[in-house]
């Protein structure tokens, strides 16, 4: 999945307007011009499409965390990372939505995707850990689909 797909899908899941997405970026100290956002929400084949890089996507996810949960007391807005993989995207969504393992498994089940607690735990481990597992597009796609089914219905 591209960052643009993820941004588009999350905007749909939470029914965010363009102005709300711009405000979420602002919470992470990122000034997102509405015109750029509109171009990033377009599909690749559409005229004016602009790719959403990892740093921009990270700013959106950090802004979403701040929007949903607030900043930790005494902490600052995190600096965006330059390399953003599916594992970190999944982790940031989990944090933003304050989800426990059983809730994530239930969301995946809504999308007809089965996963055990140990399989899920491997996705959130440190990459240096011997039981770390890379999160594939299929897992992330089904998680977002489960969110969509929960928040938007069928």
């Amino acid at each position: 999945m591209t960052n643009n797909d993820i941004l588009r899908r999350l905007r749909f899941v939470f029914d965010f307007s363009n102005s709300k997405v711009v405000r979420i970026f602002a919470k992470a100290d990122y000034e997102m011009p509405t015109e750029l956002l509109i171009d990033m929400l377009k599909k690749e084949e559409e005229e004016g499409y602009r790719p959403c890089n990892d740093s921009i996507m990270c700013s959106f996810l950090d802004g979403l965390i701040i929007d949903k949960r607030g900043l930790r007391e005494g902490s600052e807005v995190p600096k965006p990372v330059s390399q953003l993989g599916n594992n970190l995207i999944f982790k940031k969504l989990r944090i933003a939505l304050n989800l426990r393992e059983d809730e994530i498994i239930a969301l995946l089940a809504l999308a007809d995707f089965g996963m055990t607690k140990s399989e899920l735990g491997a996705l959130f481990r440190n990459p240096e850990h011997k039981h770390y597992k890379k999160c594939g597009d299929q897992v992330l796609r089904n998680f977002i689909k489960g969110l969509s089914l929960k928040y938007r219905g069928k």
Side-chain angles (χ1 to χ4, degrees), residues 28 62 66 71 76-80 92:
D62 289 339
I66 295 166
L71 262 180
E76 299 177 355
V77 174
K79 300 289 180 229
K92 286 180 178 282

Side-chain angles (χ1 to χ4, degrees), residues 64-138:
L64 187 63
I65 291 169
I66 295 166
D67 185 63
K68 296 280 187 188
R69 297 188 55 172
L71 262 180
R72 280 189 185 167
E73 199 170 309
S75 66
E76 299 177 355
V77 174
K79 300 289 180 229
V81 297
S82 57
Q83 294 285 330
L84 187 66
N86 286 349
N87 294 67
L88 190 53
I89 291 169
F90 200 176
K91 184 176 184 178
K92 286 180 178 282
L93 287 171
R94 175 182 159 195
I95 292 167
L97 301 172
N98 201 23
L99 296 172
R100 296 183 321 269
E101 283 182 339
D102 56 328
E103 294 170 319
I104 294 171
I105 290 170
L107 286 168
L108 289 167
L110 281 176
D112 295 324
F113 189 83
M115 183 172 268
T116 65
K117 280 190 175 189
S118 61
E119 290 172 324
L120 182 62
L123 301 176
F124 297 120
R125 294 187 189 281
N126 183 319
E128 308 301 317
H129 192 279
K130 68 178 183 176
H131 295 296
Y132 169 81
K133 184 178 178 197
K134 200 167 180 176
C135 180
D137 285 348
Q138 184 181 22

Side-chain angles (χ1 to χ4, degrees), residues 2-149:
T2 67
N3 290 334
N4 296 64
D5 289 333
I6 296 166
L7 184 61
R8 225 181 350 263
R9 289 171 192 232
L10 291 174
R11 183 178 175 271
F12 172 79
V13 165
F14 299 111
D15 198 22
F16 290 153
S17 64
N18 289 345
S19 59
K20 174 68 175 175
V21 174
V22 168
R23 288 193 305 274
I24 288 171
F25 273 108
K27 289 182 185 279
D29 295 336
Y30 186 87
E31 189 176 324
M32 170 58 73
T34 304
E35 301 78 26
L36 176 58
L37 175 63
I38 290 168
D39 288 346
M40 287 192 305
L41 293 172
K42 292 179 179 178
K43 303 225 180 196
E44 285 185 49
E45 60 275 358
E46 291 182 77
E47 187 176 327
Y49 166 84
R50 300 269 302 269
C52 177
N53 67 34
D54 287 347
S55 179
I56 293 172
M57 187 67 202
C58 186
S59 292
F60 173 75
L61 294 170
D62 289 339
L64 187 63
I65 291 169
I66 295 166
D67 185 63
K68 296 280 187 188
R69 297 188 55 172
L71 262 180
R72 280 189 185 167
E73 199 170 309
S75 66
E76 299 177 355
V77 174
K79 300 289 180 229
V81 297
S82 57
Q83 294 285 330
L84 187 66
N86 286 349
N87 294 67
L88 190 53
I89 291 169
F90 200 176
K91 184 176 184 178
K92 286 180 178 282
L93 287 171
R94 175 182 159 195
I95 292 167
L97 301 172
N98 201 23
L99 296 172
R100 296 183 321 269
E101 283 182 339
D102 56 328
E103 294 170 319
I104 294 171
I105 290 170
L107 286 168
L108 289 167
L110 281 176
D112 295 324
F113 189 83
M115 183 172 268
T116 65
K117 280 190 175 189
S118 61
E119 290 172 324
L120 182 62
L123 301 176
F124 297 120
R125 294 187 189 281
N126 183 319
E128 308 301 317
H129 192 279
K130 68 178 183 176
H131 295 296
Y132 169 81
K133 184 178 178 197
K134 200 167 180 176
C135 180
D137 285 348
Q138 184 181 22
V139 174
L140 190 58
R141 185 179 301 109
N142 281 297
F143 173 68
I144 295 172
K145 181 180 178 185
L147 287 173
S148 179
L149 292 168

